[in-house]
PDB file of all heavy atoms in Angstrom:
ATOM      1  N   LYS M  16       2.298  -7.237 -83.831  1.00  0.00           N
ATOM      2  CA  LYS M  16       1.204  -6.872 -82.940  1.00  0.00           C
ATOM      3  C   LYS M  16       0.868  -8.013 -81.988  1.00  0.00           C
ATOM      4  O   LYS M  16       0.616  -7.820 -80.803  1.00  0.00           O
ATOM      5  CB  LYS M  16      -0.031  -6.490 -83.757  1.00  0.00           C
ATOM      6  CG  LYS M  16       0.092  -5.147 -84.465  1.00  0.00           C
ATOM      7  CD  LYS M  16      -1.189  -4.839 -85.223  1.00  0.00           C
ATOM      8  CE  LYS M  16      -1.080  -3.494 -85.946  1.00  0.00           C
ATOM      9  NZ  LYS M  16      -2.327  -3.178 -86.688  1.00  0.00           N
ATOM     10  N   ASP M  18       2.920 -10.369 -81.010  1.00  0.00           N
ATOM     11  CA  ASP M  18       3.994 -10.477 -80.023  1.00  0.00           C
ATOM     12  C   ASP M  18       3.847  -9.420 -78.929  1.00  0.00           C
ATOM     13  O   ASP M  18       4.045  -9.697 -77.737  1.00  0.00           O
ATOM     14  CB  ASP M  18       5.360 -10.338 -80.713  1.00  0.00           C
ATOM     15  CG  ASP M  18       5.643 -11.509 -81.645  1.00  0.00           C
ATOM     16  OD1 ASP M  18       5.021 -12.585 -81.419  1.00  0.00           O
ATOM     17  OD2 ASP M  18       6.456 -11.350 -82.584  1.00  0.00           O
ATOM     18  N   ARG M 105      12.132 -31.582 -12.533  1.00  0.00           N
ATOM     19  CA  ARG M 105      10.918 -31.201 -11.810  1.00  0.00           C
ATOM     20  C   ARG M 105      11.176 -29.980 -10.923  1.00  0.00           C
ATOM     21  O   ARG M 105      10.336 -29.079 -10.838  1.00  0.00           O
ATOM     22  CB  ARG M 105      10.433 -32.374 -10.961  1.00  0.00           C
ATOM     23  CG  ARG M 105       9.090 -32.114 -10.284  1.00  0.00           C
ATOM     24  CD  ARG M 105       8.643 -33.287  -9.423  1.00  0.00           C
ATOM     25  NE  ARG M 105       8.486 -34.505 -10.199  1.00  0.00           N
ATOM     26  CZ  ARG M 105       9.294 -35.548 -10.169  1.00  0.00           C
ATOM     27  NH1 ARG M 105      10.357 -35.532  -9.370  1.00  0.00           N
ATOM     28  NH2 ARG M 105       9.069 -36.628 -10.913  1.00  0.00           N
ATOM     29  N   ALA M 106      12.334 -29.942 -10.269  1.00  0.00           N
ATOM     30  CA  ALA M 106      12.644 -28.818  -9.384  1.00  0.00           C
ATOM     31  C   ALA M 106      12.769 -27.510 -10.162  1.00  0.00           C
ATOM     32  O   ALA M 106      12.239 -26.470  -9.762  1.00  0.00           O
ATOM     33  CB  ALA M 106      13.938 -29.098  -8.612  1.00  0.00           C
ATOM     34  N   GLU M 121       2.132 -14.109 -16.885  1.00  0.00           N
ATOM     35  CA  GLU M 121       1.129 -14.423 -17.909  1.00  0.00           C
ATOM     36  C   GLU M 121       0.184 -13.249 -18.124  1.00  0.00           C
ATOM     37  O   GLU M 121      -0.079 -12.839 -19.259  1.00  0.00           O
ATOM     38  CB  GLU M 121       0.345 -15.666 -17.499  1.00  0.00           C
ATOM     39  CG  GLU M 121      -0.652 -16.120 -18.561  1.00  0.00           C
ATOM     40  CD  GLU M 121      -1.334 -17.428 -18.201  1.00  0.00           C
ATOM     41  OE1 GLU M 121      -1.016 -17.975 -17.124  1.00  0.00           O
ATOM     42  OE2 GLU M 121      -2.172 -17.898 -18.991  1.00  0.00           O
ATOM     43  N   LYS M 123       0.681 -10.046 -17.336  1.00  0.00           N
ATOM     44  CA  LYS M 123       1.386  -8.866 -17.838  1.00  0.00           C
ATOM     45  C   LYS M 123       1.774  -9.018 -19.307  1.00  0.00           C
ATOM     46  O   LYS M 123       1.655  -8.062 -20.084  1.00  0.00           O
ATOM     47  CB  LYS M 123       2.627  -8.620 -16.979  1.00  0.00           C
ATOM     48  CG  LYS M 123       2.293  -8.213 -15.556  1.00  0.00           C
ATOM     49  CD  LYS M 123       3.538  -7.996 -14.723  1.00  0.00           C
ATOM     50  CE  LYS M 123       3.177  -7.577 -13.310  1.00  0.00           C
ATOM     51  NZ  LYS M 123       4.379  -7.373 -12.459  1.00  0.00           N
ATOM     52  N   ASN M 125       0.235 -10.919 -21.521  1.00  0.00           N
ATOM     53  CA  ASN M 125      -0.999 -10.838 -22.310  1.00  0.00           C
ATOM     54  C   ASN M 125      -1.467  -9.395 -22.458  1.00  0.00           C
ATOM     55  O   ASN M 125      -1.948  -8.987 -23.527  1.00  0.00           O
ATOM     56  CB  ASN M 125      -2.087 -11.687 -21.662  1.00  0.00           C
ATOM     57  CG  ASN M 125      -1.820 -13.176 -21.787  1.00  0.00           C
ATOM     58  OD1 ASN M 125      -1.129 -13.613 -22.717  1.00  0.00           O
ATOM     59  ND2 ASN M 125      -2.348 -13.958 -20.874  1.00  0.00           N
ATOM     60  N   PRO M 148      12.294  24.035 -29.512  1.00  0.00           N
ATOM     61  CA  PRO M 148      12.256  23.546 -28.133  1.00  0.00           C
ATOM     62  C   PRO M 148      11.143  24.176 -27.298  1.00  0.00           C
ATOM     63  O   PRO M 148      10.539  23.506 -26.463  1.00  0.00           O
ATOM     64  CB  PRO M 148      13.643  23.913 -27.589  1.00  0.00           C
ATOM     65  CG  PRO M 148      14.509  24.033 -28.800  1.00  0.00           C
ATOM     66  CD  PRO M 148      13.622  24.546 -29.886  1.00  0.00           C
ATOM     67  N   LEU M 156       4.390  20.122 -21.397  1.00  0.00           N
ATOM     68  CA  LEU M 156       4.061  20.523 -20.034  1.00  0.00           C
ATOM     69  C   LEU M 156       2.637  21.037 -19.888  1.00  0.00           C
ATOM     70  O   LEU M 156       2.052  20.938 -18.805  1.00  0.00           O
ATOM     71  CB  LEU M 156       5.036  21.609 -19.561  1.00  0.00           C
ATOM     72  CG  LEU M 156       6.492  21.173 -19.369  1.00  0.00           C
ATOM     73  CD1 LEU M 156       7.341  22.360 -18.949  1.00  0.00           C
ATOM     74  CD2 LEU M 156       6.592  20.063 -18.333  1.00  0.00           C
ATOM     75  N   THR M 195     -27.061  28.688  26.498  1.00  0.00           N
ATOM     76  CA  THR M 195     -26.669  28.189  27.824  1.00  0.00           C
ATOM     77  C   THR M 195     -26.368  29.350  28.769  1.00  0.00           C
ATOM     78  O   THR M 195     -26.759  29.333  29.954  1.00  0.00           O
ATOM     79  CB  THR M 195     -25.449  27.262  27.694  1.00  0.00           C
ATOM     80  OG1 THR M 195     -25.745  26.200  26.781  1.00  0.00           O
ATOM     81  CG2 THR M 195     -25.072  26.670  29.038  1.00  0.00           C
ATOM     82  N   SER M 218     -35.772  38.838  58.029  1.00  0.00           N
ATOM     83  CA  SER M 218     -35.769  40.081  58.802  1.00  0.00           C
ATOM     84  C   SER M 218     -37.129  40.336  59.431  1.00  0.00           C
ATOM     85  O   SER M 218     -37.248  40.829  60.560  1.00  0.00           O
ATOM     86  CB  SER M 218     -35.373  41.256  57.915  1.00  0.00           C
ATOM     87  OG  SER M 218     -36.325  41.415  56.862  1.00  0.00           O
TER      88      SER M 218
END
Side-chain angles (χ1 to χ4, degrees):
K16 288 181 180 180
D18 293 337
R105 186 181 300 107
E121 184 175 0
K123 293 179 179 179
N125 289 334
L156 293 178
T195 304
S218 62

